[in-house]
Amino acid sequence: MDKSTLLKVSNLKKTFIKKSGTFLKRKKTEVYAVNNINFEVNKGEILGIIGESGCGKTSTARMVMRLMKETKGEITFEGVNLCNLKESETNKIRKKMQMIFQDPYDTLNPGMKILDILMEPINAHEKGLTYEEKYQKVIEAIEAIELRPAQDFIHRFPHQLSGGQRQRIAIARAIILKPSFIAADEPTSMLDVSVRAGILNLLLDLRKKMGLTMMFITHDLSTASYMCDRIAVMYQGKIVEIGPTKKIIQHPSHPYTKALVAVVKDLNHFIKNREKLILDGEVDSTKEEKGCPFVARCPHKEAVCHTQVPELEDVDRGHSVSCHCHIELLEKTS
Amino acid sequence: MNTVLSVENLSTYFKTDKGIAKAVENVSFSLNKGEMLGLIGESGCGKTTVAQSILRLIEYPGKVVSGRVLLNGKDLIKASEKVLSSLRWKEISVIPQSAMNALNPIFTIGDQIMESILLHENVSKREALQRTKTLLELVGIDGERWKSYPHEFSGGMKQRVAIAMALACNPKLVISDESTTGLDVLTQAQVIALIKSLQKKMDLSVILISHDLPMVTAICDKIAIMYAGNIVEWASTEDLLKNARHPYSQALLNASPDLGNPEKEVVSIPGSVPNLVNFPDSCRFHTRCPHAFDKCRQETPEFREIKNGHYTACFLEEEGNHG
């Protein structure tokens, strides 16, 4: 493992069991939420994970944060394989990795004051501190998220804050232990446009000040392009394309990424050329396909796409794509 | 003029325990035949209330207190319930916010679409069914699927069914109330593409309510931006993108990242939306506006035309010291 790699995920897999049928004729089918994914996050970088709902973005994050057990695979954080740790050891690791959740209305306990909410992680992980020291840490964290003066906020309840302020408190809770890694799961999708920009800039700012490494999950390509150094595009539990943000935006190689970029870049162009970019189709994630996961909606599919699962291949330094046809596609478009 | 809808000084208030919430105040705009108007604003700014006021769907404790809504010259605010029900679906229809909840789970979608046709037009059941099938084909669903129940469709397809339903009686005006929110990016784009192509094909007038500025700027002819119950700016899309006059519109344009321009730095708007209960006479944006001066805190700016077809409500325009 490279020295600069903070987090390495290899062959990670998660299946859920779906039950159907009646009591006697119980049928169990496996749903592939995350299917054999590999990626690395380097120190100090922000890796964006984008994809549509149900593609396994959140499952991936939850497994990395050890909130969910993987079915198979390895997660290495600072050289330690998280998958084999005991519960008590995992708890120690949690101090270094924190998560920001999607909905700031659900994730703050309505019965607790901001001060108590922010004390919680300190009480769990830094038991030796005096009350004054803990209080000082809370004030520092609130000031770091630009809610000033901090004393005004600590005695409020979550319902006395606006959506943007709540999300800031959630961020404060994540950074209060000075973690080295943060997973942010769609932190802005519930917020209005006018406050969204503030949260994004705050996260970028914190990264600079604290040297944070981040995994940023979103479904919005333009947000990802603003925030991230590298982007991984997920589809049906698989990473279909991963690479530096610039390359993904300027030279998307997988047909799914191409369609996504087309929508965000120029919706009118997408409307006119819709059939060439993506087909209407249903996806069934219950069976492990023999072929490419995107085959049902791909306008460029060929015979091989139905029978063989494409591997993630490097096309340009650090830019990998899993598609049988990408080379021809690249030539066609350039 | 081929104006289909004209809204004049519409105000809708809600009675609350703490006082009167002026959810929509003095909203004016109009819509020509075959035009697509984007109504944009943050959550809680009154977009949906405007739509409901136009359709006369406001119920107690809300009330349309003043203004006129002229649909082809007929005032909907004064119209009787009987006149209204003859206009709904046939002249004006809605694509609701979440098709998942708008469809009745215990009837087939064919039944639900037929219901409105049978209710409003004097046709036989067989004819209605035939039309239902054609409608489904129109939105890209196999006509034979009229027998399916809503749970058998995916989110995007339910939204298509909702669109087919809105078009059932050939309306002239369709109001799409955040009809693509909650769908995946690509599905959303496909639904929008469908609405746009149908609008052209059937020469519809469409009001597209949304909070997604990039999407609206891409497909709408005109845009009205709402803030805290007021329309602050109303102009053609081109005008607005090149020359936004109201500070809120400018801030909104700067708030979302742009894929085509990665160097652009996004700026948030400081502060939060004011409480609309017992809101005093003043510009509603003054608490967050970087250019606010004394007059903004004491008087309400008038919504007026500053250039051909470009309306805004801001004192900076009157003072002539913009920028």
Side-chain angles (χ1 to χ4, degrees), chain A residues 112-164:
Chain A
M112 283 164 90
K113 287 184 179 167
I114 303 303
L115 181 66
D116 301 328
I117 290 174
L118 293 180
M119 282 273 187
E120 199 94 313
I122 312 180
N123 286 338
H125 289 286
E126 293 181 13
K127 293 191 176 96
L129 296 181
T130 63
Y131 182 80
E132 274 69 40
E133 282 169 325
K134 287 192 261 178
Y135 184 84
Q136 202 48 45
K137 272 187 182 265
V138 170
I139 298 289
E140 269 168 32
I142 297 181
E143 267 165 9
I145 49 152
E146 291 158 17
L147 290 181
R148 290 191 191 98
Q151 275 79 3
D152 279 8
F153 288 94
I154 51 174
H155 294 297
R156 293 200 202 172
F157 286 100
H159 73 263
Q160 292 166 311
L161 301 176
S162 70

Side-chain angles (χ1 to χ4, degrees), chain A residues 53 192 194 198 201 219 268 280, chain B residues 42-43 184 190 218 266 268-269:
Chain A
S53 48
D192 270 321
S194 67
N201 287 335
H219 60 262
N268 277 315
D280 297 347
Chain B
E42 297 175 73
S43 48
D184 285 319
Q190 283 168 315
V266 301
S268 66
I269 308 175

Side-chain angles (χ1 to χ4, degrees), chain B:
Chain B
M1 278 283 275
N2 49 0
T3 310
V4 174
L5 179 83
S6 123
V7 176
E8 295 165 9
N9 302 322
L10 182 76
S11 299
T12 304
Y13 293 173
F14 285 85
K15 223 189 214 164
T16 67
D17 292 344
K18 291 180 184 132
I20 288 176
K22 300 176 177 175
V24 168
E25 187 158 62
N26 258 333
V27 161
S28 305
F29 64 90
S30 67
L31 187 65
N32 294 333
K33 194 168 180 347
E35 197 174 69
M36 202 163 194
L37 171 79
L39 191 60
I40 307 191
E42 297 175 73
S43 48
C45 74
K47 306 182 294 280
T48 301
T49 312
V50 167
Q52 289 179 338
S53 304
I54 292 171
L55 294 155
R56 281 280 303 278
L57 293 173
I58 297 285
E59 284 177 356
Y60 184 82
K63 199 179 176 225
V64 178
V65 289
S66 66
R68 296 201 298 172
V69 175
L70 299 174
L71 180 70
N72 294 323
K74 277 168 283 193
D75 190 352
L76 295 184
I77 300 297
K78 292 204 183 85
S80 67
E81 202 49 48
K82 205 173 152 197
V83 176
L84 278 176
S85 63
S86 73
L87 291 176
R88 283 178 191 149
W89 295 96
K90 284 198 68 119
E91 297 276 326
I92 183 167
S93 69
V94 186
I95 307 170
Q97 184 151 13
S98 58
M100 292 91 192
N101 306 327
L103 297 171
N104 191 331
I106 60 167
F107 290 107
T108 64
I109 55 150
D111 280 341
Q112 297 184 51
I113 298 176
M114 268 158 68
E115 186 190 0
S116 53
I117 300 178
L118 289 170
L119 203 65
H120 287 278
E121 283 173 45
N122 196 9
V123 292
S124 71
K125 235 180 163 176
R126 178 179 292 183
E127 229 173 295
L129 180 61
Q130 201 48 51
R131 265 175 66 179
T132 303
K133 286 185 191 167
T134 328
L135 279 167
L136 287 177
E137 304 269 345
L138 191 68
V139 295
I141 297 176
D142 184 7
E144 287 312 311
R145 291 204 65 181
W146 68 273
K147 286 179 228 162
S148 305
Y149 288 91
H151 72 265
E152 295 172 66
F153 289 103
S154 68
M157 282 173 91
K158 275 188 223 173
Q159 204 61 59
R160 284 160 193 262
V161 172
I163 294 172
M165 221 153 132
L167 300 176
C169 304
N170 297 317
K172 316 264 180 322
L173 170 66
V174 175
I175 299 178
S176 150
D177 187 359
E178 301 252 15
S179 53
T180 58
T181 313
L183 298 176
D184 285 319
V185 182
L186 283 174
T187 323
Q188 187 175 350
Q190 283 168 315
V191 171
I192 285 294
L194 176 70
I195 295 179
K196 184 77 187 164
S197 72
L198 290 175
Q199 183 234 354
K200 279 206 183 121
K201 210 187 276 174
M202 304 172 69
D203 204 17
L204 291 170
S205 308
V206 178
I207 299 180
L208 195 73
I209 297 178
S210 174
H211 60 256
D212 186 351
L213 191 66
M215 179 195 81
V216 169
T217 50
I219 59 163
C220 290
D221 307 309
K222 281 189 178 174
I223 291 179
I225 297 185
M226 278 194 85
Y227 180 77
N230 293 135
I231 287 186
V232 295
E233 189 156 5
W234 172 43
S236 69
T237 307
E238 222 185 288
D239 261 0
L240 192 81
L241 286 179
K242 280 200 196 122
N243 193 13
R245 307 298 294 185
H246 197 280
Y248 179 65
S249 321
Q250 293 165 354
L252 206 58
L253 287 170
N254 286 329
S256 43
D258 183 356
L259 209 55
N261 179 12
E263 302 302 309
K264 175 180 159 187
E265 192 171 343
V266 301
V267 188
S268 66
I269 308 175
S272 52
V273 183
N275 187 355
L276 296 183
V277 175
N278 297 329
F279 198 79
D281 258 358
S282 62
C283 171
R284 294 190 172 193
F285 190 56
H286 83 258
T287 49
R288 301 170 83 182
C289 182
H291 311 291
F293 51 99
D294 286 345
K295 201 173 175 187
C296 306
R297 298 183 189 97
Q298 288 146 11
E299 289 171 52
T300 311
E302 192 193 344
F303 186 64
R304 59 197 196 99
E305 191 165 12
I306 50 164
K307 222 178 73 190
N308 214 359
H310 191 143
Y311 293 75
T312 184
C314 181
F315 286 125
L316 290 172
E317 291 303 327
E318 287 171 21
E319 305 293 314
N321 56 357
H322 203 285

Side-chain angles (χ1 to χ4, degrees), chain A residues 34-274:
Chain A
V34 174
N35 199 349
N36 238 342
I37 62 169
N38 295 286
F39 64 87
E40 287 172 10
V41 188
N42 297 326
K43 267 191 191 126
E45 86 171 345
I46 301 184
L47 173 76
I49 297 190
I50 65 167
E52 55 190 21
S53 48
C55 75
K57 313 186 287 284
T58 303
S59 296
T60 307
R62 295 183 79 95
M63 280 189 280
V64 169
M65 303 310 294
R66 309 311 299 148
L67 297 172
M68 187 194 261
K69 207 165 163 34
E70 73 291 327
T71 311
K72 232 166 125 187
E74 254 177 46
I75 301 164
T76 323
F77 178 75
E78 291 183 337
V80 185
N81 185 0
L82 299 183
C83 299
N84 301 331
L85 293 185
K86 277 186 241 139
E87 189 64 19
S88 59
E89 290 167 321
T90 311
N91 278 343
K92 276 185 200 133
I93 289 282
R94 285 220 169 95
K95 195 182 157 186
K96 292 187 200 157
M97 45 204 298
Q98 290 286 325
M99 189 158 177
I100 301 167
F101 295 92
Q102 179 169 13
D103 188 346
Y105 293 86
D106 277 353
T107 50
L108 301 180
N109 187 334
M112 283 164 90
K113 287 184 179 167
I114 303 303
L115 181 66
D116 301 328
I117 290 174
L118 293 180
M119 282 273 187
E120 199 94 313
I122 312 180
N123 286 338
H125 289 286
E126 293 181 13
K127 293 191 176 96
L129 296 181
T130 63
Y131 182 80
E132 274 69 40
E133 282 169 325
K134 287 192 261 178
Y135 184 84
Q136 202 48 45
K137 272 187 182 265
V138 170
I139 298 289
E140 269 168 32
I142 297 181
E143 267 165 9
I145 49 152
E146 291 158 17
L147 290 181
R148 290 191 191 98
Q151 275 79 3
D152 279 8
F153 288 94
I154 51 174
H155 294 297
R156 293 200 202 172
F157 286 100
H159 73 263
Q160 292 166 311
L161 301 176
S162 70
Q165 288 172 335
R166 279 178 205 221
Q167 195 59 290
R168 279 170 193 268
I169 294 295
I171 293 173
R173 183 173 58 179
I175 61 163
I176 197 160
L177 295 169
K178 307 231 160 22
S180 48
F181 178 76
I182 280 189
D185 186 4
E186 307 226 22
T188 57
S189 67
M190 305 288 287
L191 302 174
D192 270 321
V193 191
S194 67
V195 287
R196 192 175 291 176
I199 299 288
L200 295 181
N201 287 335
L202 173 68
L203 286 172
L204 286 176
D205 199 37
L206 287 175
R207 158 170 86 156
K208 225 184 268 164
K209 279 188 198 146
M210 305 178 55
L212 283 175
T213 306
M214 253 186 255
M215 198 163 116
F216 188 86
I217 295 173
T218 177
H219 60 262
D220 179 11
L221 192 61
S222 47
T223 308
S225 78
Y226 183 71
M227 290 289 295
C228 306
D229 305 309
R230 288 197 302 139
I231 293 180
V233 184
M234 281 188 79
Y235 187 80
Q236 287 297 306
K238 281 205 154 87
I239 291 182
V240 294
E241 184 161 2
I242 182 167
T245 304
K246 239 188 185 161
K247 279 187 186 151
I248 298 271
I249 304 292
Q250 283 165 3
H251 306 287
S253 303
H254 194 276
Y256 177 66
T257 323
K258 270 186 206 261
L260 269 183
V261 172
V263 167
V264 185
K265 235 182 199 163
D266 189 351
L267 190 59
N268 277 315
H269 172 78
F270 175 83
I271 290 173
K272 277 183 210 122
N273 302 300
R274 192 154 60 102

